[in-house]
DNA sequence: CCAGAATGATACAGACCTGTCTCTTCATTG
DNA sequence: CAATGAAGAGACAGGTCTGTATCATTCTGG
């Protein structure tokens, strides 16, 4: 609230709070949340420590802001991919996993930020962990809606299988080198989708 | 070396070093490696700090010992499962994923210790990270051998797909609740295996 | 030009963490 | 019994991390 107001009053000068969030997001994603300290963030973003604590109540709060922004970005990515196959949920699902396969091969790829956050922050009361789990539930809902729309025989099973595959792609792309992982991801998704929706249609 | 000797000379009294490793393994697995400090380990295991540092050169060394022991346990689990289907690599693969599905539903399940370690320790020079990645490569080799023995049309692709699924099961079982996840894991594996090995045989 | 808000720079407190050192206790062995 | 060596207990040093407080600077609006 107040942050947004203050940013508005200053106008279109320079993003004060933005620099912090950009730097924090980059560092958190690349090196991990616990591994990156406040001092590193302020040094890298060229900001005073008090500027950080005026914009974010605590490091936890900054982590939450990072995850919330990542959720928006991921949702936008999802929308972009499915928009390429309007009215064809089956093709949309396949396209999501094809795009995922490309993404995990990208040199900047470092796993799923939400899965990593949940792995680092095990305390169930941690708000960032809560955010990460909420995001996974949201992904599950969207997958389920696609499975239903595609006419899967057992939508719950298909979306569980696909989310397994998605999580596996995130984990594997970071740690393992599965060769051209994109092929394995896309082909596995296609096999599961076609198996569940009936080979015949489309 | 020397640790084993000393443990041998004392005889069958009480495992001194064992208590440390048991406690550390439990805490590292449940709460994460970075989240558990030396002080917590010695307090929980009822051991003096110097006893820990006499048996392990550093915390990193203790983490490596934890991962090495986990590798042995996981290899034993693998051997037990495949031994139930001698001479039938296809059934062996399916049995592995059925057992994995049961494991991720277990209340003590907290993800794959190696994946979690790799997620927490991002420094490529960290010996524990090296161990974790080596373990993943070993799993991949064993999966590949099974895929070849089962007569998969493209063994590399099948084993990549199955390892994706395996990593996904580890990640999903911890963070998400995929309902009766075991069914999704086993069914997805069966679909991929049957698809790659030909529906006809077995 | 001036008032006021936002920001930079820096020091500091308190907590935690790793690893070392010392001293004591206890058990085994000769 | 005496000697030896492992193990418990706890203090301590050095470092890092989060979060706060203080002071100087810059930029904006009137």
């Amino acid at each position: 609230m107040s942050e947004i107001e203050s940013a508005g009053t200053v106008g279109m000068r320079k993003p004060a709070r933005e620099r912090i969030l950009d730097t924090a997001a980059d560092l958190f994603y690349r090196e991990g949340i616990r591994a990156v300290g406040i001092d590193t963030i302020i040094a890298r973003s060229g900001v005073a420590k008090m500027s950080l604590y005026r914009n974010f109540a605590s490091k936890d709060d900054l982590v939450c802001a990072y995850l919330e922004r990542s959720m928006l970005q991921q949702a936008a990515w999802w929308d972009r991919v499915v928009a390429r196959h309007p009215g064809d949920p089956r093709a949309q699902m396949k396209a999501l996993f094809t795009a995922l396969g490309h993404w995990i091969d990208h040199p900047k790829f470092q796993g799923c930020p939400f899965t990593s956050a949940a792995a680092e922050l095990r305390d169930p009361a941690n708000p960032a962990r809560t955010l990460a789990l909420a995001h996974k539930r949201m992904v599950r809902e969207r997958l389920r809606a696609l499975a239903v729309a595609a006419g899967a025989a057992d939508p719950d099973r298909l979306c569980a299988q696909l989310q397994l595959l998605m999580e596996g792609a995130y984990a594997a792309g970071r740690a393992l080198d599965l060769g051209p992982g994109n092929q394995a991801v896309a082909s596995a998704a296609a096999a599961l989708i076609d198996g569940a929706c009936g080979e015949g249609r489309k």
Side-chain angles (χ1 to χ4, degrees), chain A:
Chain A
M1 327 287 186
S2 72
E3 307 91 22
I4 296 174
E5 266 317 304
S6 66
T9 49
V10 178
M12 65 247 39
R13 219 177 33 120
K14 282 182 182 178
R17 168 196 167 106
E18 302 287 319
R19 255 181 304 164
I20 302 172
L21 195 47
D22 287 344
T23 308
D26 180 57
L27 289 172
F28 285 158
Y29 183 62
R30 278 197 355 241
E31 305 180 13
I33 293 173
R34 300 192 68 133
V36 174
I38 291 293
D39 289 336
T40 306
I41 295 173
I42 64 166
R44 194 77 64 103
S45 58
V47 126
K49 201 174 210 176
M50 276 314 293
S51 297
L52 190 153
Y53 279 102
R54 266 188 289 263
N55 284 286
F56 302 94
S58 63
K59 183 184 177 181
D60 273 354
D61 193 47
L62 177 58
V63 174
C64 286
Y66 151 61
L67 289 181
E68 279 164 3
R69 205 177 65 164
S70 298
M71 285 175 66
L72 293 181
Q73 292 169 344
Q74 231 239 26
W77 169 84
W78 186 296
D79 291 338
R80 269 199 315 276
V81 173
V82 302
R84 290 202 287 262
H85 304 274
D88 188 346
R90 196 156 163 177
Q92 289 174 337
M93 282 192 285
K94 291 186 180 179
L96 282 170
F97 282 87
T98 301
L100 176 59
H102 290 143
W103 168 225
I104 71 172
D105 278 346
H106 193 281
K108 298 185 94 169
F109 175 80
Q110 286 278 75
C112 171
F114 308 100
T115 302
S116 299
E120 287 196 89
L121 313 171
R122 305 277 186 98
D123 180 6
N126 191 305
R129 181 183 180 85
T130 305
L131 266 179
L133 299 191
H135 175 261
K136 293 299 179 190
R137 276 195 303 274
M138 194 192 71
V139 168
R140 185 175 184 74
E141 286 310 311
R142 299 191 78 166
L143 270 181
R144 212 192 103 84
L146 285 178
V148 169
D154 186 342
D156 285 314
R157 163 166 294 190
L158 177 59
C159 97
Q161 291 176 339
L162 290 180
Q163 198 167 20
L164 283 179
L165 188 62
M166 183 174 283
E167 288 299 316
Y170 282 133
R174 174 184 45 196
L176 295 39
D177 57 343
L178 297 178
N182 43 25
Q183 290 176 20
V185 176
S187 63
L192 294 173
I193 293 168
D194 289 336
C197 298
E199 205 72 52
R201 269 186 49 100
K202 192 60 164 266

